[in-house]
Amino acid sequence: MSAQPTPLAIVGVGKIARDQHIPTIAASDAFTLAATVTRHNTLPDVPNYGSIAELVAGQPKVRAIAICTPPRGRIALIRDAVAHGLDILLEKPPAATVTEAEAIVAAIAGSDSVLHVTWHSREAAAVEPARAWLQDRRIARVTVSWREDVRVWHPGQEWIWEPGIGVFDPGINALSILTRILPHPLSLARATLAFPANKAAPIAADLVLDDGTDAAIAVGFDFDQRGPQTWDIAIQTDDGVLTLTAGGSAMAVDGVTQAVPDEPEYARLYARFAELIATRQSDTDLQPFRLVADAYLLGVRREVAAFDWNG
């Protein structure tokens, strides 16, 4: 007899919850959407609560939550969830600051809760095949081009321009893939950040990363890309060129398309969460987030034209 799906609540019902989490949970055998915790954007026919404490009181069978709120202030949600013994899936980015992200990880340590700090792009179909292909090859050059239009992916969402976010909201997806597939740890060598005159977060960034070898690693992010959107990584090795396209969903070697699993990344993300719950283990990797923080520490700032949502 198969196990019953775990009742789960979504905390924060915004665009990412509607676009990805809700349909993924609906198609999952491991989870069922039992409730929401949100002050806005409630769902029809799904009970909603104003806090995690109210959720637990009203839905005692709920044993897991997916936190999909904007990153600022998540530590309070984590502490409430831990106090009530809930397992937690945390949408990226994990927090607004490294200090808060580390406090989130510390809150889990010694508790009975499971925490999955998610990087959904790591679950893209070609990421694990790429990682396996690169293991025994010497890397000479890595070029990342991650360019999309904020107007399309975050229409009118002013929180995306809070300090520390901006272009790094999509850009951290590329960093999460790099830190997974490259065989050596990465550090930031230098960065240039382009800030609109009227915003507190960058709209573009260029990073140079160091993996402790002589590999040249150049990363380019743009949040003002008109026309085709690109999420591409090219890796030149001593045994061919690996390319990841479509955000890590497709892979080629020397221009020849490679077979990859046919499964959506959020389905894989929730399958991973189910596995962590079953084994009572947490996944709390913060490497991509630390690289973003380092970019703010070392980045040379330049001002560009003011951003216009209708521009």
Side-chain angles (χ1 to χ4, degrees), residues 159-262:
W159 69 264
I160 204 72
W161 295 113
E162 290 183 1
I165 308 179
V167 75
F168 285 107
D169 182 73
I172 204 170
N173 294 332
L175 297 177
S176 74
I177 293 175
L178 288 185
T179 53
R180 178 62 182 168
I181 66 175
L182 297 183
H184 303 291
L186 295 174
S187 61
L188 183 79
R190 59 184 182 273
T192 301
L193 311 180
F195 284 74
N198 60 338
K199 298 298 179 186
I203 197 168
D206 292 299
L207 315 180
V208 175
L209 303 180
D210 184 358
D211 71 347
T213 73
D214 59 357
I217 306 174
V219 178
F221 299 149
D222 188 354
F223 222 2
D224 195 23
Q225 173 77 359
R226 312 304 174 92
Q229 313 282 279
T230 57
W231 305 280
D232 301 339
I233 299 173
I235 304 176
Q236 180 181 340
T237 78
D238 60 347
D239 187 29
V241 177
L242 170 77
T243 55
L244 295 179
T245 55
S249 297
M251 170 178 166
V253 175
D254 292 335
V256 178
T257 300
Q258 306 294 301
V260 298
D262 182 17

Side-chain angles (χ1 to χ4, degrees), residues 14-272:
K15 188 173 188 298
I16 193 64
R18 292 179 180 274
D19 289 354
Q20 299 293 347
H21 291 261
I22 293 168
T24 299
I25 294 165
S28 173
D29 293 330
F31 298 96
T32 182
L33 181 59
T36 59
V37 178
T38 179
R39 294 186 179 89
H40 310 286
N41 303 322
T42 57
L43 300 177
D45 303 321
V46 178
N48 180 67
Y49 299 90
S51 68
I52 289 174
E54 291 176 12
L55 164 72
V56 173
Q59 298 282 330
K61 291 184 179 181
V62 169
R63 301 314 311 146
I65 60 171
I67 296 180
C68 302
T69 61
R72 187 179 295 274
R74 284 180 171 178
I75 183 61
L77 295 171
I78 295 288
R79 286 172 176 155
D80 281 351
V82 168
H84 290 94
L86 300 177
D87 297 324
I88 307 155
L89 182 147
L90 190 61
E91 177 62 72
K92 67 86 188 172
T97 67
V98 172
T99 298
E100 185 178 33
E102 291 177 342
I104 286 170
V105 173
I108 294 298
S111 78
D112 293 327
S113 295
V114 166
L115 173 63
H116 186 193
V117 174
T118 67
W119 304 106
H120 65 79
S121 289
R122 283 186 178 175
E123 303 298 345
V127 170
E128 288 307 309
R131 182 173 184 264
W133 191 88
L134 289 168
Q135 283 303 297
D136 299 320
R137 291 172 169 85
R138 184 178 64 82
I139 295 170
R141 181 177 300 276
V142 179
T143 304
V144 177
S145 180
W146 220 259
R147 305 179 187 281
E148 65 181 61
D149 188 349
V150 62
R151 300 168 187 82
V152 173
W153 301 99
H154 295 279
Q157 297 178 24
E158 278 299 327
W159 69 264
I160 204 72
W161 295 113
E162 290 183 1
I165 308 179
V167 75
F168 285 107
D169 182 73
I172 204 170
N173 294 332
L175 297 177
S176 74
I177 293 175
L178 288 185
T179 53
R180 178 62 182 168
I181 66 175
L182 297 183
H184 303 291
L186 295 174
S187 61
L188 183 79
R190 59 184 182 273
T192 301
L193 311 180
F195 284 74
N198 60 338
K199 298 298 179 186
I203 197 168
D206 292 299
L207 315 180
V208 175
L209 303 180
D210 184 358
D211 71 347
T213 73
D214 59 357
I217 306 174
V219 178
F221 299 149
D222 188 354
F223 222 2
D224 195 23
Q225 173 77 359
R226 312 304 174 92
Q229 313 282 279
T230 57
W231 305 280
D232 301 339
I233 299 173
I235 304 176
Q236 180 181 340
T237 78
D238 60 347
D239 187 29
V241 177
L242 170 77
T243 55
L244 295 179
T245 55
S249 297
M251 170 178 166
V253 175
D254 292 335
V256 178
T257 300
Q258 306 294 301
V260 298
D262 182 17
E263 187 178 18
E265 61 185 47
Y266 270 83
R268 292 167 59 90
L269 185 150
Y270 270 90
R272 173 64 172 156

